[in-house]
Amino acid sequence: MSQALDEIKIGGLGASRKRVEDNRFIRGKGNYTDDITLPGMLHMEILRSPLAHARIVSIDASKAWDIPGVHLVLTGEMMATRNLAWMPTLSYDTQAVLATDKVRFQGQEVACVIADDPYIAKDACEAIEVEYEPLPVIVNPEQAVAEGAPVIRDDKENQDSNVIFDWEVGDAAGTDRAFEQADVISKLRLHYPRSHPSPIECCGSIADFNRATSKLTVYMTTQAPHIIRAAVALVAELPEHMIRIISPDIGGGFGNKVPVYPGYVCSILASILLERPVKWIEDKTGNLISTGFARDIYLDGEMALRRDGKILAVRMHCDSDHGAFFSDAQPSKFKIGLLHSAFAAYDIPVAHLSARGTYSNKAPGGVAYRCSFRVTEAMFFQERMMQAAADDLGLDQAEFRRMNFVRDEDFPHRTPFGFLTDSGQYAKCLEVGLKAIGYEDFRRQQASARERGRLLGLGISTMTEPLGAGNSREYDILGIKMFDSAELKVHMTGKAIVRTGARTQGQGHETTWAQIVSHELGIPAEDVVVEEGDTDTAPFGMGTYASRSTPVAGAAVAMVSRKIRAKARKLAAHLLEVSEEDVEWELGRFYVRSAPDRGVTIQECAMAAYSNMPDGMEPGLENTAYYDPPNLTWPFAVYIVTVEVDPETGVWDVLTTVAVDDCGVRINPMIVEGQIMGGLTEAYAMANMQFITFDAEGNCVGSNYMDYLLPTAWETPGFELHSEVVTPCPHHPIGAKGIGECAAVGGPAAFVNAVMDALSGTGVRNIDMPLLPDRVWEAITYRRDVSGAPPVRSDD
Ligand code: CDP
């Protein structure tokens, strides 16, 4: 081939290639866990606790055992005889698999029935008689630390309170000194409410233990198959090479499918005991009341300011409610995830954060719902605080941000909490956003509308997200270092298969990883198949969450492609009968430097790897790369929203939403846009309508889609996306930064800030999310803040 291949034409970097996985999804041919049926398969259902906190007096399962078609009833007592009543969590805590002593949240797993079909199993669950002795219930951090509060985790030795951790980061003394210098101190307190990632597909597993081979195969809805394999090996004390975790198609994860759930463990034990495959598929209420909740964090803080707008320091405190078990995954070094990534985009000399985590009688919470370990909470607080501070100073919202941004020439920049950011064009992103929204015009319209009693508002939110955990020096989960991997096999005809340790849940890895191979090797993307999610075939990896796939696994794909290219160069030299140093590369082709017409394609090299390799060369064209990133990637975004609030009803409508995302080099611009639109939709839902909470007895309110609302195309406003700012990541092999979560992270504050801006001048400083019409109406009518939660700290 004499001409360089056109990268876009072959589906390489920058091609808006249609998602290959959609071929099966839009035909209804996806293969989800519940689509799998194995010969002789049985079905498992879980009996859940109706009470949030109660001692278990007795469990009588005799009537369940008597129901025809029932094969096994598992209770905590039986699990305990096998040392499986409790399991370790991903945050060095323990979690009950089936309750033995107490139930600690409504919906907790108490017993399981395995039967011929799910209906028999469900009926049999209802036949189990459990006697409970109710205990006082704790539903927020204030109650958790109140004097005389019952200790929820009395199962743990040395746990004599409900405090899980007290953690701090930053420079407390330096922050105190800076506050002494301040002209103005701006304060804000808010609650980021519990929310649920609520993927459309609930959790489930099919465990299949084969006594003849001693092999355990588990099909399951997990975002991190290798971590699950390690957990099963350690908890069930099974040999790791005899465990195969297969994560088939996943119908959305958003962090909800990272933890290990009791249902997985019970189905595995049941399959081992019964020597038959056992399927467990959770129903929607089960998913909404018992699996990984997110957020539920009380944030308050203050900002030390100079009169001219310079930020001198920030002080933050948070109380996070983790539910009954501390089971969310996070890097073990950071107890409150990456909350301390707050204010990374602003040049702030000093800051201090204290964080206290507590147990409550709620389902386990704190999972990283579409975010990098608490960065959503960090960015929400940051941008709400920025709005409040600008108002307190009487400065323009845009100008206040612009003057405090880290400047382009200041990178690498050490953030006030110690991260090192490496690149970005923050002011330019803001400028693009302001122009797109027509900032000056809108401010004029807003002022004249106000005179006529109409409430218009504009909200700005910026975000920079630390994406791509690790590096392995700083990031580990349960001691397992956070890196990722890719294996690439180029067959003799030049077709290829790439496997990674990540696991797509709808993000389009099957499309984009092929594009990276295409970019590096010139093999058309359609000739590259991508496979993930099977621990027997995929190289070890930490899975997909925290938008780490492109920063880490995607980088590994580029690196393994480069290893393949290095070998192909040797093959090319052999075929061209020149020395390797005389061989040049262009997309898809090696050629002789002094005679560019003499060349061989990558496909010809692939054939030679199996049929005509030089003496002494190992045959074949395949390799594996483990990629340990030198740093996180730091995408940046500006979201600007305009709204109109109806003062009579508190209903607010979005007028325009502008998003300017800089995620470095975009592999597939169309997929990136899809990720941003999805994230903005979730952000709008959190700000506007999603409400899942607990009453004083610990009953979960909102445990179904009638109450916990998912916005459809009908409710969702339109979004205007801008892609003109591109700051390649300096350390990523193809310059990409993560994007999957950015809009869900930065979006909520833009919507809330817009409504608060509409209310400016009324003295209302904060309305907690969701900004339901009654809350907004109350704020307007009574000119007061509306809290979504009771106060949490006794000293306030
Ligand atoms: O880890 P996760 O896949 O959720 O997030 P991500 O790495 O940000 O990637 C989300 C999707 O966007 C993947 O298909 C990526 O390959 C794609 N992407 C891209 O095309 N260009 C980027 N700069 C970042 C992500």
Side-chain angles (χ1 to χ4, degrees):
M1 197 178 300
S2 58
Q3 297 264 310
L5 292 164
D6 175 347
E7 183 156 357
I8 299 294
K9 209 162 82 197
I10 63 168
L13 223 56
S16 280
R17 209 181 156 220
K18 285 191 181 154
R19 292 171 19 125
V20 293
E21 40 273 85
D22 289 347
N23 269 333
R24 60 178 191 282
F25 292 146
I26 59 175
R27 289 181 166 87
K29 297 287 184 194
N31 187 37
Y32 299 91
T33 301
D34 199 20
D35 291 323
I36 297 166
T37 299
L38 300 178
M41 190 170 78
L42 299 171
H43 298 265
M44 186 181 100
E45 289 289 329
I46 295 176
L47 175 69
R48 300 181 180 281
S49 167
L51 300 177
H53 200 195
R55 199 159 298 288
I56 296 180
V57 179
S58 63
I59 300 180
D60 181 356
S62 51
K63 288 189 185 137
W65 278 104
D66 287 345
I67 294 177
V70 169
H71 291 256
L72 181 67
V73 182
L74 287 175
T75 60
E77 204 181 328
M78 290 170 67
M79 302 296 280
T81 62
R82 290 165 177 84
N83 206 19
L84 284 175
W86 292 83
M87 61 181 179
T89 70
L90 298 175
S91 285
Y92 291 102
D93 195 5
T94 48
Q95 175 170 0
V97 178
L98 294 179
T100 46
D101 51 341
K102 292 200 304 191
V103 287
R104 294 175 169 83
F105 69 90
Q106 186 187 53
Q108 188 181 334
E109 300 78 1
V110 174
C112 289
V113 175
I114 294 89
D116 284 333
D117 68 44
Y119 308 102
I120 297 173
K122 191 125 208 143
D123 287 348
C125 277
E126 282 169 22
I128 299 172
E129 289 164 4
V130 186
E131 193 185 335
Y132 296 102
E133 181 190 305
L135 295 167
V137 170
I138 289 173
V139 291
N140 63 45
E142 185 191 29
Q143 292 173 333
V145 298
E147 232 178 275
V151 176
I152 295 170
R153 295 301 305 277
D154 49 359
D155 56 288
K156 292 176 75 172
E157 255 178 62
N158 306 325
Q159 180 77 44
D160 53 10
S161 77
N162 292 313
V163 175
I164 307 171
F165 60 80
D166 252 319
W167 191 74
E168 63 177 317
V169 62
D171 176 355
T175 304
D176 289 347
R177 282 194 298 276
F179 268 82
E180 282 160 20
Q181 309 297 316
D183 298 326
V184 175
I185 294 177
S186 197
K187 296 184 187 226
L188 184 70
R189 173 191 185 85
L190 55 85
H191 179 224
Y192 200 129
R194 252 188 189 229
S195 62
H196 198 285
S198 58
I200 294 295
E201 180 204 31
C202 301
C203 296
S205 55
I206 304 169
D208 182 15
F209 180 67
N210 183 329
R211 175 71 61 199
T213 60
S214 296
K215 182 125 189 176
L216 171 70
T217 304
V218 191
Y219 302 85
M220 66 195 300
T221 51
T222 177
Q223 297 176 224
H226 285 95
I227 300 300
I228 295 282
R229 185 180 66 182
V232 172
L234 297 173
V235 174
E237 292 180 9
L238 292 171
E240 201 172 353
H241 66 302
M242 286 292 150
I243 305 166
R244 180 180 188 187
I245 306 293
I246 301 175
S247 179
D249 286 332
I250 302 183
F254 311 110
N256 182 246
K257 290 172 179 163
V258 175
V260 182
Y261 293 119
Y264 299 154
V265 181
C266 292
S267 67
I268 290 171
L269 178 65
S271 179
I272 292 172
L273 293 175
L274 297 168
E275 296 184 23
R276 286 176 66 173
V278 174
K279 180 190 261 190
W280 164 63
I281 298 292
E282 192 178 57
D283 63 19
K284 187 50 74 185
T285 294
N287 181 261
L288 279 171
I289 65 173
S290 73
T291 62
F293 278 84
R295 330 292 188 223
D296 207 350
I297 188 166
Y298 299 77
L299 285 152
D300 74 273
E302 46 193 350
M303 199 174 242
L305 298 150
R306 230 168 41 201
R307 177 76 54 207
D308 64 3
K310 168 74 188 146
I311 305 171
L312 302 176
V314 171
R315 200 184 271 137
M316 284 171 73
H317 174 79
C318 90
D319 278 294
S320 52
D321 180 339
H322 293 259
F325 307 107
F326 184 27
S327 68
D328 45 308
Q330 48 213 328
S332 58
K333 199 172 158 189
F334 307 118
K335 290 291 167 234
I336 191 71
L338 303 187
L339 190 73
H340 56 306
S341 60
F343 299 99
Y346 298 108
D347 181 19
I348 300 177
V350 63
H352 183 255
L353 163 72
S354 56
R356 181 174 60 191
T358 46
Y359 290 117
S360 70
N361 292 118
K362 299 189 210 167
V367 298
Y369 168 14
R370 204 167 183 171
C371 73
S372 197
F373 314 111
R374 299 280 192 185
V375 69
T376 307
E377 293 93 315
M379 292 305 132
F380 185 73
F381 184 77
Q382 166 190 304
E383 289 305 310
R384 293 285 299 113
M385 184 81 243
M386 290 299 286
Q387 167 138 336
D391 280 348
D392 290 345
L393 289 167
L395 288 178
D396 175 76
Q397 290 294 332
E399 185 49 32
F400 177 56
R401 285 171 170 82
R402 191 168 20 224
M403 66 190 289
N404 283 292
F405 272 150
V406 175
R407 292 168 309 170
D408 304 1
E409 59 273 27
D410 290 341
F411 292 106
H413 167 76
R414 188 65 67 184
T415 77
F417 292 112
F419 291 95
L420 194 69
T421 54
D422 50 31
S423 57
Q425 300 177 65
Y426 301 165
K428 186 167 175 199
C429 287
L430 182 61
E431 186 190 310
V432 171
L434 294 176
K435 189 164 170 234
I437 205 94
Y439 189 66
E440 303 300 337
D441 268 3
F442 185 85
R443 287 295 186 208
R444 276 192 289 275
Q445 277 175 41
Q446 184 181 25
S448 70
R450 194 52 88 83
E451 284 163 18
R452 285 174 277 121
R454 281 178 61 206
L455 299 178
L456 301 185
L458 182 147
I460 301 176
S461 171
T462 77
M463 74 99 236
T464 181
E465 196 183 1
L467 289 181
N471 56 74
S472 68
R473 287 186 315 282
E474 291 205 287
Y475 297 90
D476 72 270
I477 288 186
L478 289 182
I480 308 171
K481 304 284 190 188
M482 299 190 79
F483 51 82
D484 235 284
S485 58
E487 176 202 79
L488 178 58
K489 294 185 175 179
V490 183
H491 310 310
M492 69 175 77
T493 56
K495 316 288 181 198
I497 178 164
V498 62
R499 297 187 170 107
T500 82
R503 184 61 187 123
T504 188
Q505 311 125 43
Q507 297 94 327
H509 296 178
E510 289 174 45
T511 309
T512 48
W513 296 167
Q515 292 185 246
I516 297 175
V517 175
S518 202
H519 167 70
E520 294 291 338
L521 292 178
I523 297 175
E526 64 187 27
D527 288 351
V528 183
V529 69
V530 176
E531 203 182 87
E532 293 179 335
D534 182 340
T535 56
D536 263 12
T537 55
F540 184 91
M542 293 296 275
T544 289
Y545 41 88
S547 281
R548 61 187 301 280
S549 303
T550 302
V552 198
V557 173
M559 297 313 273
V560 74
S561 302
R562 289 176 191 182
K563 287 187 180 181
I564 295 285
R565 199 166 72 204
K567 183 168 182 184
R569 176 185 291 276
K570 294 186 196 309
L571 287 156
H574 170 66
L575 294 175
L576 294 165
E577 298 177 336
V578 294
S579 76
E580 212 187 314
E581 293 71 48
D582 293 331
V583 173
E584 289 286 334
W585 166 255
E586 64 186 6
L587 193 69
R589 176 178 179 267
F590 293 100
Y591 62 91
V592 180
R593 186 176 306 122
S594 55
D597 287 352
R598 282 189 60 216
V600 286
T601 63
I602 187 77
Q603 289 82 0
E604 286 166 326
C605 295
M607 182 57 83
Y610 298 88
S611 61
N612 179 18
M613 54 282 184
D615 282 349
M617 179 186 272
E618 194 180 338
L621 196 54
E622 55 187 71
N623 219 317
T624 304
Y626 282 83
Y627 187 77
D628 186 1
N631 191 2
L632 300 155
T633 70
W634 293 89
F636 181 75
V638 169
Y639 304 113
I640 307 180
V641 171
T642 55
V643 297
E644 173 150 18
V645 179
D646 181 347
E648 304 292 322
T649 61
V651 169
W652 52 279
D653 290 317
V654 175
L655 304 175
T656 313
T657 304
V658 165
V660 186
D661 277 89
D662 177 4
C663 60
V665 173
R666 296 184 176 202
I667 303 162
N668 183 321
M670 183 192 69
I671 286 185
V672 168
E673 292 201 346
Q675 296 289 307
I676 297 167
M677 288 189 187
L680 285 173
T681 305
E682 285 184 334
Y684 170 69
M686 287 177 219
N688 185 280
M689 62 181 76
Q690 282 189 334
F691 193 47
I692 187 162
T693 189
F694 294 79
D695 67 15
E697 277 78 46
N699 296 307
C700 180
V701 180
S703 60
N704 59 73
Y705 279 167
M706 294 290 283
D707 297 318
Y708 189 60
L709 305 179
L710 296 192
T712 65
W714 179 256
E715 294 88 10
T716 306
F719 307 125
E720 183 185 317
L721 309 187
H722 288 262
S723 57
E724 48 268 61
V725 189
V726 178
T727 317
C729 174
H731 60 76
H732 189 279
I734 57 166
K737 304 178 180 183
I739 186 63
E741 303 165 344
C742 298
V745 168
F751 292 103
V752 175
N753 281 347
V755 176
M756 298 312 300
D757 185 60
L759 271 52
S760 63
T762 60
V764 179
R765 202 167 174 80
N766 185 51
I767 305 173
D768 276 338
M769 290 194 294
L771 272 64
L772 301 169
D774 60 322
R775 289 187 182 183
V776 178
W777 178 86
E778 182 185 332
I780 295 170
T781 308
Y782 298 105
R783 296 188 164 237
R784 66 181 179 212
D785 286 7
V786 182
S787 161
V792 287
R793 287 166 68 200
S794 47
D795 52 336
D796 280 306

